[in-house]
């Protein structure tokens, strides 16, 4: 690895490519109803130069042509190195109905390959049942620049950190050119239909390219007679903060324009499909200061009139909330924040004919006087919209005295509005918190979890951020650590997980995931053009496992099957953070998954 400047390469063309993929013959051969061809977004851009030295002598030993093998979803394969794999052509998988499962192929070539295309076939069981080829979605993995943990939080210059290219973004274009002396992984997403019959399905995926013999990989998928609930019905409380302002900046469109919402829709729909419960709103200007490349503007306009009264314009707030709900995120609206970083509040002053900023500490008379008119008006507005019971004033990592001041004011003026907190656990305010989230290395007392069951309108979750080397979701983090997240929530009895950034993109997120303040990839899961990532897909996988554990637990309790419940608990006992000192996240995930798979066959 070598140290590189932060932005060593610029986006080439910046062209958004919309592709409609579908194989008519494959669809006609299916005996189940299939969806229409799917529009797939991708960007035409050049990857940054690999700082690794290409081992030319290793490539000279490679056979001619395009080569490939089934690979592990737990590994990221380096671009400039021959993958250390014993080539194999068969993949075996296991799934419930309505589950999404993943496979990975590694392709490599000494001379390069043009117009590489991945062509899935139908999966067919011995009794003739079919999972259509359209259920298998291939994506070429794209390489972005990453760095290293190196102490985690704190402002950093990339020249001080090791940098490397890492496979992360999932590009669903139909054709891809592979450079000479390089490796290109392919990610396969298999969406098992809800109506699929139980059985063992087999089929093939072919890899075609100009001038090369086609490669063929055999797939075998065992589908059992269990069903994963629809994502909208998942119990897991997922709260990943969205940043619509980054989307407007990157795509150079007007904020809240039709073009802006058109670009937001696939991103929010993808998030809803992972079980997202919470809409992130900024009710003041820059609630987190300037910590992200694109700071958060206020979705509500605050105006102090010349006579000293206040007026509030909720137009942007309403449009974004309604839009997010239309995309499938419907449970909660979190509003940031009465206790922002820096305690600064900007508003438009008619007397000045411009913006003014106040510094106010929560709990002070001045803070109460500033927020009282808003909370009174906001409560009325939320009630008229039917959102009052869904809304929380949200805070993160603030002083307990300041949070107490804000909580007391909300309770006195708008008691129906809930309180959400991501930060250190404080016993003195715990009872007032509806949505409580602490860092992964903190632990809740058992009595706290007992007193906060979800059916009593309490949410109890955990988060990871730049302070935790593991488990985490950095662009260099081993992929299984993202899947580990859901398992850990199940093991500890938490309702879900929070991550502070879904798409707070850096300057050139398609090429360089590094940022000035935190380890690379900390600020986003998904890429422009609605490209997902290994990290996001594996996170969703772990959430599915959480739901499967709940389904099995309920089943075995009804059957009074204590032996099966003990085995299920054994799977969950695997997950302890301290084990990362000696055991990888992949080992823990795969051990637990093997137990759950075995129990799923019952």
């Amino acid at each position: 690895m070598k140290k590189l400047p932060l932005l060593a390469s610029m986006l080439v063309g910046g062209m958004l490519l919309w592709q409609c993929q579908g194989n008519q013959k494959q669809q006609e051969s299916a005996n189940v109803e299939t969806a229409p061809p799917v529009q797939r977004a991708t960007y035409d851009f050049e990857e940054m130069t690999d700082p690794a030295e290409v081992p030319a002598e290793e490539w000279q030993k490679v056979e001619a042509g395009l080569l490939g093998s089934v690979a592990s979803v737990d590994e990221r394969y380096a671009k400039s190195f021959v993958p250390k794999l014993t080539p194999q052509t068969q993949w075996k998988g296991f799934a419930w109905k309505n589950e999404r499962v993943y496979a990975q192929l590694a392709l490599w070539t000494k001379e390069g390959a043009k117009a590489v295309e991945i062509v899935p076939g139908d999966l067919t069981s011995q009794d003739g049942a079919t999972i259509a080829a359209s259920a298998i979605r291939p994506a070429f993995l794209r390489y972005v620049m990453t760095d290293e943990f190196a102490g985690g939080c704190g402002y950093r210059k990339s020249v001080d950190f090791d940098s490397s290219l890492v496979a992360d973004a999932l590009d669903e274009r139909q054709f891809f050119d592979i450079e000479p002396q390089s490796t290109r992984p392919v990610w396969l997403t298999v969406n098992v239909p809800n109506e699929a019959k139980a059985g063992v399905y087999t089929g093939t995926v072919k890899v075609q390219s100009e001038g090369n013999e086609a490669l063929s990989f055999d797939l075998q998928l065992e589908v059992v007679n269990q069903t994963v609930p629809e994502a909208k019905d998942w119990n897991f409380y997922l709260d990943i903060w969205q940043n619509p302002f980054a989307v407007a900046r990157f795509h150079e469109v007007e904020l809240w324009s039709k073009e802006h919402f058109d670009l937001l829709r696939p991103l929010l729909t993808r998030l809803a499909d992972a079980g997202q419960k919470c809409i992130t709103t900024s009710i003041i200007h820059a609630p987190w200061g300037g910590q992200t490349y694109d700071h958060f503007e206020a979705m509500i306009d605050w105006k102090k009139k010349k006579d000293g009264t206040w007026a509030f314009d909720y137009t942007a707030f309403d449009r974004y909330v309604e839009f997010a709900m239309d995309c499938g995120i419907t449970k909660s609206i979190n509003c940031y924040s009465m206790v922002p970083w820096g305690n600064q509040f900007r508003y438009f002053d008619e007397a000045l004919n411009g913006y003014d900023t106040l510094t106010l500490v929560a709990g002070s008379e001045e803070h109460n006087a500033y927020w009282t008119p808003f909370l009174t008006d906001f409560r009325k507005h939320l009630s008229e919209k039917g959102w009052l019971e869904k809304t929380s004033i949200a805070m993160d990592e603030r002083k307990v005295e300041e949070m107490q001041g804000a909580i007391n004011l909300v309770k006195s003026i708008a008691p129906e509005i809930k309180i959400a907190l991501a930060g250190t656990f404080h016993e003195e305010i715990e009872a007032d918190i509806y949505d409580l989230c602490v860092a992964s290395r903190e632990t809740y007392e058992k009595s706290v979890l007992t007193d906060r069951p979800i059916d009593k309108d309490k949410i109890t979750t955990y988060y990871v951020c730049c302070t935790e080397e593991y488990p985490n979701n950095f662009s260099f983090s081993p992929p299984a650590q993202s899947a580990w997240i859901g398992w850990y929530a199940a093991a500890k009895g938490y309702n879900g997980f929070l991550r502070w950034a879904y798409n707070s993109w850096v300057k050139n997120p398609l090429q360089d995931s590094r940022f000035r303040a935190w380890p690379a990839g900390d600020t986003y899961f998904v890429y422009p053009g609605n490209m997902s990532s290994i990290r996001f897909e594996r996170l969703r996988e772990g959430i599915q496992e959480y739901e499967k554990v709940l389904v099995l637990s309920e089943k075995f309790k009804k059957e009074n099957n204590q032996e099966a419940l003990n085995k299920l608990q054994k799977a969950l006992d695997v997950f302890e953070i301290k084990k990362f000192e000696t055991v990888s996240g992949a080992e823990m995930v795969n051990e637990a998954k093997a137990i759950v798979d075995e129990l799923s066959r019952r």
Side-chain angles (χ1 to χ4, degrees), residues 238-259:
L238 182 64
D239 180 10
I240 309 181
W241 300 353
Q242 313 102 56
N243 187 343
F245 308 97
V247 176
R249 182 269 305 175
F250 182 86
H251 292 284
E252 298 181 340
V253 297
E254 182 182 349
L255 192 65
W256 314 130
S257 63
K258 180 183 182 301
E259 293 78 12

Side-chain angles (χ1 to χ4, degrees), residues 69-70 83-89 108:
S69 175
V70 170
K84 297 185 182 303
L85 289 167
T86 300
Q88 56 178 313
T89 59
W108 63 97

Side-chain angles (χ1 to χ4, degrees), residues 380-450:
K380 178 183 177 183
H381 180 76
L382 292 171
S383 180
E384 291 171 350
K385 299 293 292 186
W387 299 339
L388 188 57
E389 304 300 327
K390 292 178 178 286
T391 302
S392 295
I393 295 294
M395 301 172 283
D396 69 298
E397 300 175 344
R398 303 296 88 211
K399 295 178 180 179
V400 66
E401 299 82 8
E402 295 177 3
M403 292 187 291
Q404 284 177 317
I407 292 168
N408 291 336
L409 186 61
V410 172
K411 288 171 65 176
S412 68
I413 297 175
E416 302 90 344
I417 296 178
K418 300 180 177 70
I419 303 295
L421 168 65
T424 301
F425 178 81
H426 297 283
E427 184 177 0
E428 54 267 51
I429 62 173
E430 179 271 320
D432 294 317
I433 308 299
Y434 155 71
D435 176 1
L436 177 60
C437 184
V438 301
S440 64
R441 279 169 171 74
E442 288 198 42
T443 56
Y444 296 101
E445 294 290 338
K446 287 187 177 180
S447 60
V448 172
L449 292 175
T450 302

Side-chain angles (χ1 to χ4, degrees), residues 67 150 174 177 251 428 487 503:
L67 307 177
Q174 184 174 1
D177 292 343
H251 292 284
E428 54 267 51
W487 284 102
N503 67 308

Side-chain angles (χ1 to χ4, degrees), residues 3 5-6 54 67 107 112 114 140 148 189 191 197 222 229 242 298 304 346 353 361 379 426 445 482 509 563:
K3 297 171 183 177
L6 187 58
V54 179
L67 307 177
L107 307 178
K114 296 288 187 181
F140 294 95
E148 57 184 332
T189 299
N191 293 292
K197 294 181 179 179
E222 178 185 354
Q242 313 102 56
K304 187 176 183 179
R346 193 185 79 165
N353 194 29
V361 177
R379 178 184 181 277
H426 297 283
E445 294 290 338
S482 287
E563 182 230 355

